[in-house]
C-alpha cells in the first residue's frame, strides 16, 4: 500500500495467492484437458496450442503473433515431453525439495499462466472488464491466459486489455 500512497490510489480489494487457489487451478486444467486442448506428459500437463488454434483460430489475437513462426528454444529450452514447440505448461511435476500439491497428475505446481487465470476467474468471474499490466506481459503471458481461459470456458476472458510502457520512479 505504501507504493500507492504518493499517487493517491486506493489499495486493491483482493490480493489472491495461488497457494490458496490450487483447487481452482486443478479444476481449470481438468476443463481444458476434457475439451481436448491440453495433454498430460510424464506428470506435466501442457496446453496444446495447435489444437486450440485449429478449433478457434484465436491464438495470437492479442499479440498478433503467428504461433507457427515461433522458433523452438528461442524463449525457453526445448522439451521433448511437449507435442509442439509453442505448447506451454499448465502443471509441472515437482522435483525433490520443490513446492508441491497433490493433483490428478501427481505432485506438482501450477504453471505461470494458469495461476493467473484461475485466481482472476475465481475473484472476478468471466468475462471481466479490464485486464492489464506491463507491455512485456502481452506475449507470452497474456496471450496464454486468454488461450487457456477461453479453452476452458468457451467465452471471452477479458473485455478490454490495457498495457503500459515501463514505469520508472
Amino acid at each position: 500500500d505504501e507504493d500507492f500512497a504518493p499517487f493517491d490510489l486506493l489499495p486493491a480489494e483482493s490480493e489472491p495467492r495461488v497457494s490458496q487457489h490450487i483447487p481452482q487451478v486443478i479444476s481449470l486444467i481438468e476443463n481444458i484437458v476434457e475439451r481436448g486442448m491440453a495433454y498430460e506428459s510424464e506428470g506435466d500437463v501442457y496446453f496444446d496450442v495447435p489444437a486450440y488454434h485449429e478449433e478457434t483460430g484465436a491464438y495470437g489475437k492479442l499479440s498478433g503473433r503467428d504461433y507457427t513462426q515461433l522458433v523452438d528454444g528461442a524463449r525457453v529450452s526445448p522439451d521433448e515431453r511437449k507435442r509442439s514447440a509453442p505448447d506451454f505448461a499448465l502443471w509441472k511435476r515437482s522435483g525433490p525439495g520443490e513446492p508441491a500439491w497433490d493433483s490428478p497428475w501427481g505432485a506438482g505446481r501450477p504453471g505461470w499462466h494458469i495461476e493467473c487465470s484461475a485466481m482472476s476467474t475465481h475473484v472476478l468471474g468471466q468475462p471481466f472488464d479490464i485486464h492489464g499490466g506491463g507491455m512485456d506481459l502481452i506475449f507470452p503471458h497474456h496471450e496464454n491466459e486468454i488461450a487457456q481461459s477461453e479453452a476452458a470456458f468457451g467465452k471471452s476472458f477479458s473485455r478490454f486489455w490495457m498495457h503500459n510502457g515501463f514505469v520508472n520512479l
Side-chain angles (χ1 to χ4, degrees), residues 42-59:
E42 300 178 32
D44 294 341
V45 180
Y46 292 99
F47 187 83
D48 190 331
V49 171
Y52 169 76
H53 190 72
E54 184 176 311
E55 183 171 313
T56 66
Y59 191 82

Side-chain angles (χ1 to χ4, degrees), residues 49-138:
V49 171
Y52 169 76
H53 190 72
E54 184 176 311
E55 183 171 313
T56 66
Y59 191 82
K61 70 180 181 180
L62 181 66
S63 66
R65 292 181 187 231
D66 176 353
Y67 82 90
T68 65
Q69 301 301 309
L70 299 176
V71 177
D72 192 19
R75 195 180 53 78
V76 294
S77 298
D79 190 334
E80 294 177 6
R81 293 169 293 186
K82 295 178 3 176
R83 292 180 184 165
S84 66
D87 293 355
F88 57 90
L90 300 175
W91 187 263
K92 295 292 289 179
R93 71 174 185 269
S94 292
E98 293 179 339
W101 291 268
D102 290 330
S103 81
W105 315 285
R109 63 188 186 283
W112 174 39
H113 317 297
I114 197 73
E115 60 189 32
C116 296
S117 291
M119 291 185 299
S120 60
T121 299
H122 178 77
V123 173
L124 301 171
Q126 195 175 29
F128 51 90
D129 288 333
I130 300 171
H131 194 321
M135 59 191 296
D136 58 319
L137 296 177
I138 295 171

